[in-house]
Amino acid sequence: MLTEYKTTADITGPLLIVEHVAGVGYDELVEVEMANGEKRRGKVLEVHNDKAVIQMFEGTSGLNIPETKIRFQGDVLKLAVSNDLLGRTFTGSGAPLDGQAEIIPDELRDINGSPINPAARAYPNDFIQTGISTIDGMNTLVLGQKLPIFSGSGLPHSKIAAQIARQATVPSSSSKEKIQFAIVFAAMGITFEEAEFFINDFTTRGAMERSVLFINLADDPAVERIATPRMALTAAEYLAYTKHMHVLVIMTDMTKYAEALREVSSARKEVPGRRGYPGYLYSDLSTLYERAGRIQGEQGSITQLPILSMPEDDKTHPIPDLTGYITEGQIVLARDLHQKGIYPPIQVLGSLSRLMPKGIGEGKTREDHSGVANQLFASYARGQEVRELATILGEGSLTDTDKKYLEFVERFEKEFVQQGVDENRTIVDTLTLGWKLLSILPKTELKRVKSEQIEMYAH
Amino acid sequence: MTTKNITGAIQKVSGPLVIAGNMSGANIQDVVFVGIAKLIGEIIELHGDKASIQVYEETSGLKPGDIVESTMEPLSLLLGPGMLGAIYDGIQRPLDVIKETHGAFIARGAGAPALNLEKKWKFTPSINVDTEVVGGDVLGTVQEGAIVHHVLVPPYVSGTLTSLHAGEFTVEDTIGEVKTSGKKVHALHLAQRWPIRTPRPVQKKLIPTTPLVTGQRVIDTFFPIAKGGTSAIPGPFGSGKSVAQQQLAKWSDADIIVYIGCGERGNEMTDVLLEFPELTDPKTGESLMNRTILIANTSNMPVAAREASVYTGMTIAEYFRDMGYSVALMADSTSRWAEALREMSGRLEEMPGDEGYPAYLGSRTAQFYERAGIADVLGSPARQGSLTAIGAVSPPGGDLSEPVTQNTLSVVKVFWGLEERLAYRRHYPAINWLTSYSLYLDQLASYFGEHAGDNWNELRVQAMSILQQESALEEIVRLVGLEALSKHEQLLLHVARIIREDFLQQNAYDSVDTFTSLHKQYRMLSLIIDLYTKADNRLKEHDFAMQVFLTLPVLTAIARAKVVPEHEVDSAFDAMHTSVATEVDSLINQ
């Protein structure tokens, strides 16, 4: 029998302070019963002798001091996992949202997980074809990578993430069957419409039975968001390492997650770091992102595609900044491309995939891939400089070579970057297109590709 | 170990910080065991009988009243044969062993001895009994791969060597004894313990005069670091800090590499673990992993152990320095170490300094880098050892005015400033040549003159001046266009571009380009300067068109010079010098 306490002393923001408790452990799960019988959950953030600070997942609205009953559960927050997870939709704190029954668990798992031993990781180096040229060709995603999309308000990040989820395959995998990803979707503080967009997309193409959804909407309690990605990743780890599936985890919007963390931090009166975010934001984010990866001798994998909106498109804002320090690159969306009507508006030069060098080349994509990518980067960068120069001095002042660059940069954006929402390009399509565009330039300008490759591919 | 252990009880738990009461008698920096699970922690503050403890493992489930036991000893490492090629966490737990015993995920309380206690090593004494020994004296050797592991008398031990045995020993077996002046007997082992926060002593620190040759052109040629020197690589994310650090770990001509992944990505450590065994150390012909020790406390591992990881790495590096080796230590990233300090400081409710960092950030940073250096080490035979420390810094938003960068720059001698603007254009390594600096240039000038080429220093100055003039001219071009410049200035811009693209840029993923010997660096630079001098002279008499200059075939050859294999360097570069001469002579008036 669990002891029930009615000794709440303070309620501030999402926090509850309870006195005269005994035997309470740090990080323990708490059940709180309100005056009207409604039950909510929370966890212990701090214990000091007989005083416990509890963070409520579903917020504190409607709680009062005299009638609130508190029961400490003697264990940390756990997620029920089993094969039945697939096809289900849950709230941000793991309760069924689809009207179906609770999962009959195979196992209960601590949602915080445990760090993967760096000595046990396998290096991610299997190419994932997303069908999007700017990603496959120049910022390649690999199996087990964490590659966030840095977006801004009003940019089509959801469309891109859905397109990736729809098109992603692993062409080089040895198995005859095409790898199909299981999708774990964690929504944190996004709007109903955005969430519906994903749900519809999964449903209409029959991907629902391979998906698990955790939904915390903008009007759901903000603190619940702190648990949401951990629930999702726990489900993903179960599917990947117990059920040996390849899992693609989409987490959106990480900015809202970090804001929830800030809310709790400020309620605890902690010394704030940059822009009011807690000093441990980096460590906290890493406990999410680092759950992506591959493990030696294990079939399954977790690939993460977190989405975050950059306030004012500012990449130096703490959330994109700290994310970029943890993740293996980033896909940056550009407002100017979007305004020119280019979809997907991927800012090629600002984007980066750190795992690309080992995921491409002979036997993975094609032997000229790295050369083509480097050459496209260099030429596009040069072309942009030329374009800037042309705006200031006029096109007339350009040399002949520079005029070629100008043509290259325009066509690159219209033909290579731009593609349809349903256009699924193979890596060979992408590389061929790259060569076609590079052949606009004089051969002497192509210093990053090997001369025999120029002979072979540039026409 | 000791009978008067002190036992108290938990009063408060807040993340990695635990406060325990009834602890009077325990010392600051004592290692303690917390709770029933015996989690390892360290006392960082004492108030009356209350001890503040940073716990090196996840604290969930700890309760007020749980037992806390002090070992009365500071956090120490076990230093001895068997560390090379190993991967440790921040407090020297062997991760490869833990993987075997506990699986792919690091369970709480997982532990294993830092060195294999069963393995026997063949010890060969090199001194006779009945000699007087002092700390640092070489007792004998153990062969570990290609590396000779010198077994030393621990610092602060001295007396008469009463016995010393050859044979096969485990690291804990007694190999001999020293009778100290106080008539005490001190047993000698292959391994010794040393507290991580105490620098290992040396006899005399020296001024460094030899470069650490890294094979990275922008570093060796323009901003070299000395053996025993210190340097910082600050840069925003995506600017290539980790690749740069790994390149240094791979190609530096140090004997031993200690690579600390402090609060960074797990996959980066995996990358090192998988790649280094495949690479060959040019000096020994053995796998690079055999000279490398990895400390991996990744970002998702407990934050307090991250704080300790840099000291663990530093202590191991000092241990090998004491044998007389040149050791290079890479810490990636010191910002994460500083953040761990900040997190603990916040939980201790200390008054925050700049950006929430504790006021002692500066002094801790300085103390860390001061442990680097080249020195006459303790004991005989007389020998020199060096410890080069290279720290990556991850400034938030790439803003170098932040406290960690500023505190670091005030102590280190070399600054390799990585810039996003360059990485954005895929100019790697993205080290800004205008803002970076090395304060060792003068100290190292005579070495380069002797070993690389007698006019090395002049060439470097000339190339740098071309790059500096380029940045001034670029302003003008942006305003009025290239045509407004004189032919000489236009030529300079073209040559500057050649220096940037064909010399400074270096591809870490190309099998040849990844490492360039000093000799080849010298040949490359003198070729470019030769081209510039000849073309500039030619321009004085012949007003040739720049378009024609740009189509000279030798320019393509120069662009591909970086991938000329080391053994073909002399013939290939001699040929290119000839081409430069004939092709420049073919330039005529428009």
Side-chain angles (χ1 to χ4, degrees):
Chain A
M1 180 62 200
L2 297 171
T3 319
E4 190 172 275
Y5 293 98
K6 287 175 82 175
T7 46
T8 307
D10 294 289
I11 304 177
T12 71
L15 304 182
L16 209 66
I17 296 163
V18 192
E19 292 181 334
H20 310 301
V21 297
V24 172
Y26 172 72
D27 214 21
E28 192 172 321
L29 181 66
V30 186
E31 189 178 72
V32 176
E33 192 178 322
M34 298 171 60
N36 63 6
E38 186 191 329
K39 284 177 187 166
R40 288 186 190 167
R41 292 188 298 173
K43 72 165 186 176
V44 177
L45 278 189
E46 187 176 308
V47 276
H48 193 174
N49 292 330
D50 64 347
K51 210 163 87 179
V53 180
I54 299 167
Q55 172 203 320
M56 299 300 299
F57 293 125
E58 289 109 331
T60 48
S61 71
L63 288 180
N64 70 17
I65 289 186
E67 286 171 286
T68 302
K69 296 174 193 157
I70 290 129
R71 286 182 286 268
F72 293 94
Q73 307 290 305
D75 204 351
V76 295
L77 180 56
K78 289 191 169 169
L79 178 74
V81 290
S82 88
N83 234 359
D84 303 335
L85 275 174
L86 291 171
R88 298 293 307 269
T89 308
F90 302 93
T91 65
S93 56
L97 193 66
D98 45 13
Q100 298 181 45
E102 295 264 357
I103 296 261
I104 300 165
D106 263 4
E107 215 184 304
L108 288 168
R109 286 207 179 172
D110 177 359
I111 64 162
N112 290 315
S114 297
I116 303 179
N117 186 334
R121 279 181 186 268
Y123 197 76
N125 56 8
D126 281 319
F127 168 65
I128 297 181
Q129 180 176 296
T130 65
I132 297 173
S133 289
T134 37
I135 296 178
D136 293 351
M138 304 176 73
N139 298 289
T140 315
L141 177 68
V142 304
L143 211 53
Q145 184 171 17
K146 37 192 181 293
L147 190 65
I149 299 178
F150 285 11
S151 186
S153 42
L155 294 177
H157 45 262
S158 298
K159 256 189 185 170
I160 298 172
Q163 186 175 3
I164 296 174
R166 209 161 48 227
Q167 299 182 166
T169 52
V170 183
S172 68
S173 82
S174 47
S175 68
K176 292 237 165 50
E177 282 172 78
K178 239 186 174 178
I179 288 183
Q180 279 209 315
F181 285 90
I183 293 164
V184 175
F185 180 72
M188 293 160 280
I190 63 172
T191 60
F192 169 77
E193 280 177 49
E194 255 180 298
E196 275 304 294
F197 168 79
F198 279 102
I199 295 174
N200 275 334
D201 194 83
F202 296 156
T203 316
T204 50
R205 62 192 176 81
M208 208 51 195
E209 70 261 25
R210 289 186 286 115
S211 310
V212 191
L213 286 70
F214 293 87
I215 309 278
N216 165 283
L217 295 181
D219 57 350
D220 289 333
V223 233
E224 187 183 278
R225 276 161 219 167
I226 296 176
T228 309
R230 297 189 161 81
M231 297 266 172
L233 288 164
T234 305
E237 280 173 359
Y238 174 78
L239 295 173
Y241 306 132
T242 307
K243 296 292 164 191
H244 317 298
M245 298 168 127
H246 292 289
V247 185
L248 182 67
V249 183
I250 300 174
M251 305 192 285
T252 177
D253 174 346
M254 294 306 294
T255 306
K256 299 287 191 297
Y257 167 82
E259 281 166 1
L261 210 60
R262 176 167 69 175
E263 204 179 313
V264 175
S265 169
S266 82
R268 295 184 68 188
K269 303 189 172 56
E270 291 172 336
V271 178
R274 278 174 78 218
R275 298 230 189 168
Y277 290 95
Y280 50 81
L281 181 61
Y282 175 84
S283 298
D284 187 279
L285 286 174
S286 72
T287 58
L288 302 178
Y289 297 139
E290 281 288 328
R291 290 172 81 172
R294 304 199 69 174
I295 291 177
Q296 290 164 20
E298 170 56 59
Q299 267 298 308
S301 66
I302 295 179
T303 308
Q304 279 186 17
L305 213 58
I307 298 172
L308 59 89
S309 47
M310 297 184 280
E312 290 168 47
D313 295 351
D314 176 11
K315 209 168 127 182
T316 67
H317 184 280
I319 299 165
D321 189 54
L322 295 179
T323 297
Y325 274 122
I326 306 165
T327 54
E328 284 133 356
Q330 67 277 341
I331 302 289
V332 184
L333 302 191
R335 204 165 286 279
D336 57 331
L337 286 178
H338 181 60
Q339 274 155 356
K340 276 194 222 166
I342 291 174
Y343 172 88
I346 291 174
Q347 188 191 321
V348 171
L349 295 176
S351 302
L352 170 75
S353 164
R354 292 168 189 273
L355 302 185
M356 177 172 176
K358 292 195 177 150
I360 62 171
E362 209 171 343
K364 309 231 173 210
T365 54
R366 208 166 75 181
E367 80 287 355
D368 58 328
H369 191 158
S370 120
V372 174
N374 282 334
Q375 187 64 57
L376 286 171
F377 275 124
S379 305
Y380 185 51
R382 175 88 196 278
Q384 286 201 325
E385 279 166 25
V386 170
R387 183 152 69 183
E388 228 171 85
L389 211 63
T391 342
I392 303 170
L393 303 169
E395 256 180 67
S397 68
L398 298 181
T399 63
D400 288 347
T401 316
D402 282 355
K403 281 181 188 147
K404 293 279 184 204
Y405 272 107
L406 199 58
E407 185 194 342
F408 171 82
V409 81
E410 293 297 330
R411 284 184 56 189
F412 178 80
E413 288 177 359
K414 291 221 172 65
E415 296 173 32
F416 192 89
V417 180
Q418 169 128 308
Q419 67 185 89
V421 184
D422 289 312
E423 192 180 344
N424 190 355
R425 295 182 188 155
T426 66
I427 183 63
V428 175
D429 292 345
T430 293
L431 292 175
T432 310
L433 189 56
W435 277 111
K436 184 179 138 198
L437 293 168
L438 286 176
S439 51
I440 297 170
L441 301 171
K443 284 204 176 111
T444 47
E445 291 294 307
L446 306 183
K447 289 186 191 167
R448 314 259 175 144
V449 278
K450 296 199 169 117
S451 25
E452 60 267 25
Q453 291 171 352
I454 299 183
E455 293 302 312
M456 194 162 159
Y457 296 110
H459 302 293
Chain B
M1 280 165 230
T2 152
T3 48
K4 47 169 193 173
N5 281 5
I6 287 175
T7 309
I10 295 182
Q11 294 185 345
K12 176 179 174 178
V13 187
S14 165
L17 176 74
V18 165
I19 294 177
N22 203 14
M23 294 292 288
S24 66
N27 311 307
I28 286 277
Q29 293 184 3
D30 275 358
V31 170
V32 294
F33 294 121
V34 180
I36 317 151
K38 289 206 161 206
L39 306 179
I40 300 171
E42 185 182 6
I43 298 179
I44 50 175
E45 227 177 62
L46 289 167
H47 289 285
D49 74 338
K50 279 194 286 192
S52 303
I53 297 159
Q54 61 175 352
V55 180
Y56 292 123
E57 294 186 72
E58 198 32 67
T59 51
S60 68
L62 289 182
K63 298 179 171 125
D66 282 359
I67 191 170
V68 174
E69 190 188 343
S70 170
T71 61
M72 307 304 285
E73 277 193 350
L75 185 60
S76 302
L77 304 183
L78 187 60
L79 302 163
M83 292 194 287
L84 296 170
I87 175 167
Y88 293 116
D89 80 345
I91 51 172
Q92 213 199 8
R93 283 182 294 198
L95 290 170
D96 41 356
V97 178
I98 288 179
K99 175 184 82 174
E100 301 304 328
T101 54
H102 291 76
F105 293 87
I106 303 177
R108 213 158 50 138
L115 299 176
N116 186 335
L117 302 181
E118 253 102 82
K119 180 165 180 170
K120 295 215 169 189
W121 299 91
K122 186 168 181 256
F123 172 69
T124 315
S126 57
I127 54 171
N128 300 323
V129 285
D130 291 333
T131 35
E132 292 296 311
V133 293
V134 294
D137 280 355
V138 177
L139 292 167
T141 57
V142 163
Q143 190 73 31
E144 201 183 344
I147 309 262
V148 177
H149 192 111
H150 298 279
V151 179
L152 309 178
V153 178
Y156 305 126
V157 170
S158 63
T160 317
L161 185 68
T162 50
S163 67
L164 189 64
H165 311 286
E168 305 257 323
F169 297 102
T170 70
V171 289
E172 287 182 326
D173 289 341
T174 300
I175 55 166
E177 282 173 343
V178 172
K179 192 178 267 176
T180 62
S181 52
K183 303 290 172 206
K184 276 194 199 153
V185 175
H186 185 101
L188 297 167
H189 311 280
L190 290 183
Q192 51 180 277
R193 296 186 69 81
W194 191 265
I196 63 168
R197 296 183 199 278
T198 312
R200 287 174 66 90
V202 294
Q203 197 169 326
K204 185 170 175 244
K205 274 197 158 193
L206 306 165
I207 300 291
T209 52
T210 317
L212 182 78
V213 178
T214 66
Q216 310 305 304
R217 294 188 289 266
V218 59
I219 291 177
D220 291 346
T221 305
F222 291 107
F223 312 108
I225 180 167
K227 282 196 173 119
T230 51
S231 115
I233 320 183
F237 68 86
S239 57
K241 271 188 309 296
S242 298
V243 177
Q245 288 269 37
Q246 286 190 14
Q247 284 295 94
L248 296 176
K250 279 178 201 165
W251 305 119
S252 292
D253 66 341
D255 301 312
I256 305 287
I257 303 285
V258 178
Y259 193 98
I260 311 168
C262 172
E264 287 290 308
R265 304 177 183 89
N267 276 333
E268 277 167 12
M269 304 316 291
T270 313
D271 190 19
V272 174
L273 270 181
L274 297 179
E275 194 179 358
F276 278 32
E278 305 293 315
L279 299 168
T280 319
D281 181 356
K283 271 165 72 178
T284 61
E286 288 232 353
S287 130
L288 270 185
M289 199 62 209
N290 293 351
R291 66 163 194 181
T292 308
I293 296 153
L294 289 178
I295 314 289
N297 212 95
T298 58
S299 54
N300 55 338
M301 286 160 73
V303 71
R306 187 198 298 172
E307 191 271 334
S309 66
V310 298
Y311 298 107
T312 297
M314 188 56 98
T315 307
I316 293 176
E318 284 176 342
Y319 174 69
F320 282 100
R321 173 206 63 198
D322 290 349
M323 295 180 201
Y325 285 122
S326 101
V327 185
L329 170 138
M330 282 97 199
D332 184 14
S333 147
T334 59
S335 293
R336 306 301 166 219
W337 163 76
E339 281 166 15
L341 272 187
R342 174 169 71 182
E343 189 172 336
M344 292 315 297
S345 162
R347 294 193 190 264
L348 287 169
E349 290 163 16
E350 292 174 339
M351 186 65 86
D354 218 358
E355 291 197 20
Y357 287 104
Y360 44 80
L361 174 66
S363 58
R364 294 273 171 95
T365 310
Q367 283 161 8
F368 173 75
Y369 283 105
E370 268 307 291
R371 290 175 75 169
I374 183 163
D376 286 333
V377 297
L378 291 181
S380 62
R383 59 205 186 272
Q384 276 183 12
S386 70
L387 199 175
T388 313
I390 299 166
V393 184
S394 317
D399 171 16
L400 297 187
S401 68
E402 60 92 37
V404 183
T405 314
Q406 285 308 311
N407 278 309
T408 306
L409 289 184
S410 71
V411 288
V412 300
K413 295 280 172 46
V414 181
F415 165 65
W416 296 316
L418 294 170
E419 216 171 66
E420 200 200 359
R421 188 177 55 86
L422 294 172
Y424 188 86
R425 293 194 308 214
R426 298 307 190 261
H427 174 113
Y428 289 120
I431 294 175
N432 183 322
W433 51 90
L434 296 173
T435 57
S436 300
Y437 59 80
S438 165
L439 300 182
Y440 295 115
L441 282 174
D442 294 338
Q443 278 154 255
L444 302 177
S446 65
Y447 180 96
F448 284 122
E450 253 169 66
H451 294 87
D454 32 356
N455 61 340
W456 168 279
N457 297 296
E458 291 83 65
L459 284 177
R460 194 194 65 236
V461 171
Q462 219 174 340
M464 187 46 78
S465 115
I466 293 174
L467 290 169
Q468 268 160 354
Q469 290 178 61
E470 179 198 32
S471 91
L473 289 174
E474 264 178 349
E475 291 288 305
I476 302 174
V477 174
R478 219 166 288 142
L479 292 173
V480 292
L482 191 62
E483 299 307 312
L485 299 182
S486 76
K487 281 276 176 64
H488 288 278
E489 288 167 332
Q490 289 185 33
L491 177 71
L492 181 127
L493 283 186
H494 293 308
V495 173
R497 207 177 116 198
I498 292 173
I499 297 177
R500 280 191 286 114
E501 292 182 0
D502 305 333
F503 187 81
L504 294 180
Q505 288 185 17
Q506 193 167 356
N507 185 350
Y509 300 100
D510 183 279
S511 54
V512 177
D513 201 19
T514 185
F515 173 88
T516 309
S517 67
L518 277 189
H519 177 63
K520 184 175 164 191
Q521 293 186 32
Y522 170 75
R523 297 286 324 236
M524 286 174 81
L525 201 59
S526 47
L527 178 66
I528 297 172
I529 298 297
D530 182 39
L531 170 78
Y532 176 62
T533 322
K534 290 214 165 71
D536 198 51
N537 283 335
R538 183 83 184 164
L539 207 49
K540 287 177 189 147
E541 280 135 40
H542 302 266
D543 186 27
F544 57 81
M546 275 306 140
Q547 285 302 330
V548 183
F549 170 76
L550 289 177
T551 54
L552 292 183
V554 74
L555 297 194
T556 317
I558 291 176
R560 301 193 186 274
K562 49 172 97 166
V563 293
V564 172
E566 292 286 342
H567 60 251
E568 292 168 20
V569 162
D570 283 322
S571 57
F573 278 80
D574 288 346
M576 281 188 270
H577 275 286
T578 321
S579 310
V580 164
T582 50
E583 288 177 27
V584 168
D585 275 343
S586 74
L587 295 168
I588 44 163
N589 285 339
Q590 293 175 266

